[in-house]
Amino acid sequence: MSVFPHQPHPDKDGQEQREQRAVTTRVFVLSDHTGITAGSIARALLAQFPHQSFEMEEHPFLDSKDKVAAIVAEIERLNAEHHPPLVFSSFVNSEVRTLLAQACGSRLFDIFEAFTPPLEKLLGEAASPVTGQLHGIGNSGSYTARIKALDYAMIHDDGSITRNYAKADVILIGVSRSGKTPTCLYLALHNGLQAANYPLVDEDLETTRLPGILQEYKHKLIALTIEPKQLHRIRQQRRPGSRYASPEQCEWEVHQAENLFRKHHIPVIDTTAISIEEIAVHITAEIMH
């Protein structure tokens, strides 16, 4: 019997390629601090490969030799099983970075190693790495400002308190579940903006008049809208089968709200298919405009 190397059938090529793409790659985000920067960069980069499947694991505060050793052991185990992970890291400690480089090889994406050497060359100064130093960059009062903004967003959520709107940097308006609350919290935590939000209810939507409390602060208003079908899906998860979640109610509310926004020339952001981060970028750009 003659044995020949396996040759894939032409009709099966596409299927095999699809199956190959379906393999899930584990992704480790490692840091001796929060790992937020490394995680954000990893997500932005991996999003460029929509045909790949990734399973991301974040391991922040790896601030001891034992913690690092445990992660390295897991990486080496996966390597031995021929399932090597992708590793994104933001360690300040050079010894840890060397250890990871040895374990990961070309599958390591070291945030500091990628950018620090060219910066040192351009600035003519050696870096002085300090863990968590990112939070000290810029305005020394930024942390306090963000905490103050977070308190403001929580107190002024859902139109519960309106008497301090004069202190708001922005007031988001829109129908219920259009993304107002999470956006306000994001603006507070990441931008230090004091963001309030006001939900438009049936009484507001039955006319095209701007609610009285908002008229004085029209210059601070930004509206969020959403496609009725998406709004229906979101509300169904919260109150299934209710009038609040019905397609007809969602359609009516969005239609009435958008009429109100047009009449009063309020800037509108459609939140249907964009992330909280993207919504926040549009809002900050509108504020700066």
Side-chain angles (χ1 to χ4, degrees), residues 126-185:
S128 300
V130 177
T131 302
Q133 192 158 280
L134 174 65
H135 300 287
I137 295 175
N139 184 354
S140 61
S142 63
Y143 178 78
T144 301
R146 282 182 284 147
I147 296 302
K148 180 181 178 183
L150 181 60
D151 287 340
Y152 184 92
M154 294 175 68
I155 292 171
H156 296 83
D157 181 45
D158 227 18
S160 53
I161 294 179
T162 59
R163 62 177 177 271
N164 293 321
Y165 277 3
K167 296 180 180 179
D169 295 304
V170 62
I171 302 170
L172 303 185
I173 63 171
V175 301
S176 173
R177 312 308 287 183
S178 57
K180 300 183 301 302
T181 295
T183 302
C184 285
L185 295 176

Side-chain angles (χ1 to χ4, degrees), residues 14 81 91 118 121 127 132 138 153 176 201 247 261 275 286:
E81 294 177 355
F91 283 94
K121 183 177 180 180
S176 173
V201 296
F261 303 151
S275 65
E286 185 66 39

Side-chain angles (χ1 to χ4, degrees), residues 32 85 98 161 176 186 247:
D32 48 12
T98 299
I161 294 179
S176 173
Y186 186 94

Side-chain angles (χ1 to χ4, degrees), residues 193-205:
L193 293 175
Q194 296 196 156
N197 75 78
Y198 186 95
L200 296 172
V201 296
D202 284 6
E203 291 85 349
D204 301 318
L205 297 171

Side-chain angles (χ1 to χ4, degrees), residues 32 91-101 110 112-113 129:
D32 48 12
F91 283 94
V92 170
N93 187 298
S94 59
E95 293 181 5
V96 173
R97 287 157 58 188
T98 299
L99 188 64
L100 282 173
D110 185 324
F112 281 99
E113 190 63 32

Side-chain angles (χ1 to χ4, degrees), residues 231-242 244-247:
L231 183 61
H232 165 64
R233 285 192 288 267
I234 294 171
R235 289 184 175 183
Q236 271 289 95
Q237 295 175 359
R238 189 181 187 192
R239 298 182 195 170
S242 65
Y244 166 80
S246 70

